Amino acid sequence: MKKPALILLTLMLTFSTLWGGAVAMGVTQIPHEDPTKAENHYSLSLPLLNYANAISLMACRNYSEAGDLIQQLESSHANLPEEVQFVMSRFNDLAADLTERLDRLDVVLDECEILLSQNEMDATPRKIVEARGLVAEIGSLIGNVNTAMDELILQTAPFISAREAASVQASEARLRESMGKLAQLEDWYKDLLENMESEAGKKETLTATTLTLQTRSSRAWVGESLSVWGNLIAEGVPLAERAVSLHISNSQIATVNTGRDGYYSTWLTLPYWYDVDEVKVHAFYYPEGEDSDRFSATSSEGINIAVMFHPTSVQIEAPSKMLPGLPSEIRGKVNSRGKISGRNVQALLDEDPLFQISTDDDGYFSRDIMIGEEIAHGEHSITFSVAPDNESRSAGTITVSSLDILKAKPVVTLRPPGTIFLPAKLEPTGKIFPPLSSIARIKIEGEVHSSLPLNEAQAMLEVAGASSTSFVNGGEFSVEMEVPFSFSRVGLQEIKLRLVPAEPWQLPSECTTEVLIINLAYLLVLVVVLAGVGVEMIMHRPHGLYERKDKLPSYVEEPHEPLREEVIWLPEAVPIAKENRGVILKAYYSAVAWIQKIYGILLGPQMTLRDFLNQVSSSHSRFAGVLTRLTGLAEKALYSQHAQGEDEASLAQDLSAQIKKQGSEEQKT
């Protein structure tokens, strides 16, 4: 009877201390795990496969996606071994340079092709020289990438686990295959360049042409037409019925044919470009049909034309601060020497449309707006844009105003009662079972302060698992709620009040505090149990407890069990005699057994070899260097796939002997 009572008392005291909270218990030590059987913290097959995909994209001339992939891979080396990180970063840099050169070569060869098709023999040779230099650079880079690939594969070999060996081998094969396709692409570019050089050589004998361009005006309004004219001749002979293209700032505007005397004339309409002050007009001739084998392309000298239009500005009157949910007025005026009435004004809040309006006859506009409650508080911007009016040759304009959205976070202070007693009162339930219920009505007072108006905010109060909802205004408030009886409600309990304002300019807020709950029923049960335990102990007290102590008690020494030698725990390994691996492990086991026997430091089943090393080094630093080297040899013997040499076995024996020798000398001193 005595033992069950003591057990019950212990349980009650434990629950009274921890009641109301949940304690999550877990393993406090990481069990030892064989690295060859565990998942690596990094993967070597994945980066190799990704680089194979990047090289494959290059071989398909998809340089944009290849460059993006290589840029992403640049930041994926952090978790790899340092030896692999270095060579992989080098490979990444070379691949990025190669992608950039290939992309540029593709562009230059396209330009060469266009120039050759248009017989632009003045610009074609320069582009061919540039392409030839890029081809040479690409050939050198491909060789460097191949060398870096071989070095990368060599450096990753010692870190490949048995589980990943097959996938790494497949990734390496894919990478080499992609490099082979890249070499084929290099040959394709060389052949293409040779063909272009050959075609350019044939077209060097084409007859040169000359094209002129003239106009009467050096300035014009947007939308205005300009009269232009000129001549097209080849070695002094007019070229009749040839098409001449007219361009304004690299944009083709018109095409006109020459007459019998090689003369052409037309009207050019200046585009409605309000973002430039000057444009340049050119004339171009590109041979077509039979002329492609007879004449070279040519262009005229450019003519600069000043662009004229009516500038526009807008003045804005807008509040710099706004409250969500409250209306505000924005006013403005459009100013221009052109048209100001009926001008279209658009406003964007950040990047979202806010409103659109037209100006009145005097250029004024006004709009009432209300910002929604979903907007975040803080800095925002309103962009006002006035559309151009081509009819009056009036430019558009854009202006940006800053806007600060204000939202206040109410400050809540709680004043709970000092103590809550449960159960407080019994009330009939009107049911057969349970016939009675026990509740405690509590009143919690507090204050709410906010820099902005606050009314009818929803206050959600939570105490010991019970909750109540009411509405409060700014200033002092009081909230009443009922707390039902429960054995789980005991000790310090958290009181949380969450405030959800109704106004959109207010932010949600919460406040927490604690209150002491005394559970009378729980205490009554505890007292009854303690009383029972006390009675039980008195009833079974030892004889002679209150007798006179006339003589000293005699003590009889009980025999002790002999101490059992602790068994060393090490990862499962069956060392084979005369093998280097077995010699190394035997030396390590011998050293650990000696340390355990002399110093009582145990290698437990949840400790790794490194954990044991750290524990020994922290208390006996003189062994740190020797034991570190011996631990490294033991780990290599346990988990490495490579065979150990005789020099390593001999070194392990020497290190084990040194540990025993140093410890023996210390014991003597």
Side-chain angles (χ1 to χ4, degrees), residues 158-185:
F159 302 97
I160 301 173
S161 64
R163 180 177 298 180
E164 200 183 14
S167 58
V168 170
Q169 187 176 7
S171 298
E172 291 175 357
R174 175 73 183 277
L175 182 58
R176 294 187 183 279
E177 180 184 357
S178 299
M179 288 301 301
K181 293 180 180 178
L182 195 61
Q184 296 176 5
L185 178 64

Side-chain angles (χ1 to χ4, degrees), residues 389-410:
D389 185 75
N390 294 336
E391 184 179 355
S392 62
R393 292 171 176 153
S394 300
T397 187
I398 295 177
T399 186
V400 180
S401 298
S402 61
L403 176 63
D404 189 11
I405 299 297
L406 301 180
K407 287 189 177 183
K409 188 170 186 177

Side-chain angles (χ1 to χ4, degrees), residues 511-530:
C511 177
T512 59
T513 186
E514 290 183 333
V515 64
L516 177 62
I517 295 181
I518 298 179
N519 197 317
L520 299 177
Y522 183 82
L523 292 178
L524 179 60
V525 173
L526 185 59
V527 169
V528 171
V529 172
L530 290 175

Side-chain angles (χ1 to χ4, degrees), residues 97-110:
D97 291 344
L98 179 59
T99 305
E100 182 181 349
R101 297 296 193 281
L102 286 170
D103 191 23
R104 178 58 188 165
L105 177 61
D106 219 38
V107 172
V108 171
L109 290 177
D110 286 344

Side-chain angles (χ1 to χ4, degrees), residues 103-240:
D103 191 23
R104 178 58 188 165
L105 177 61
D106 219 38
V107 172
V108 171
L109 290 177
D110 286 344
E111 293 175 352
C112 285
E113 187 175 4
I114 293 173
L115 292 174
L116 283 172
S117 66
Q118 297 175 346
N119 289 357
E120 292 263 8
M121 301 315 300
D122 292 337
T124 299
R126 292 193 299 271
K127 288 296 178 182
I128 289 179
V129 170
E130 183 181 356
R132 192 182 299 120
L134 287 170
V135 168
E137 291 181 17
I138 288 169
S140 177
L141 277 173
I142 290 178
N144 292 337
V145 171
N146 268 307
T147 302
M149 177 189 65
D150 294 336
E151 181 66 19
L152 177 60
I153 294 174
L154 181 64
Q155 290 292 339
T156 56
F159 302 97
I160 301 173
S161 64
R163 180 177 298 180
E164 200 183 14
S167 58
V168 170
Q169 187 176 7
S171 298
E172 291 175 357
R174 175 73 183 277
L175 182 58
R176 294 187 183 279
E177 180 184 357
S178 299
M179 288 301 301
K181 293 180 180 178
L182 195 61
Q184 296 176 5
L185 178 64
E186 179 188 7
D187 295 338
W188 181 81
Y189 274 125
K190 288 180 179 179
D191 294 340
L192 181 61
L193 180 59
E194 289 179 2
N195 293 335
M196 289 185 178
E197 289 177 338
S198 176
E199 186 177 355
K202 294 178 182 179
K203 292 191 174 185
E204 287 180 355
T205 58
L206 296 176
T207 302
T209 57
T210 303
L211 183 63
T212 62
L213 174 67
Q214 299 181 58
T215 184
R216 291 189 177 88
S217 178
S218 61
R219 55 191 303 176
W221 289 88
V222 291
E224 183 181 359
S225 296
L226 295 174
S227 176
V228 295
W229 65 90
N231 287 282
L232 175 63
I233 58 176
E235 294 184 350
V237 178
L239 295 180

Side-chain angles (χ1 to χ4, degrees), residues 11 67 69 93 178 183 202 204 213-214 235 253 263 288-289 301 304 328 338 386 438 475-476 510 513 536 540 596-597:
L11 291 174
L69 180 55
D93 294 341
S178 299
K202 294 178 182 179
E204 287 180 355
L213 174 67
Q214 299 181 58
E235 294 184 350
I253 304 299
Y263 177 83
E288 299 176 350
E301 293 185 1
N304 293 325
S328 300
V386 181
S438 175
E476 295 189 354
E510 69 176 37
T513 186
E536 178 68 20
H540 296 81
Q596 174 181 278
K597 180 177 180 181

Side-chain angles (χ1 to χ4, degrees), residues 37 59 68 114 140 191 210 212 222 239 332 451 471 483 490 506 523 592 607-608 653 657:
K37 298 178 181 178
D68 291 342
I114 293 173
S140 177
D191 294 340
T210 303
T212 62
V222 291
L239 295 180
S451 58
F471 295 90
V483 180
V490 61
Q506 298 282 2
L523 292 178
V592 172
M607 294 177 64
T608 65
Q653 292 176 328

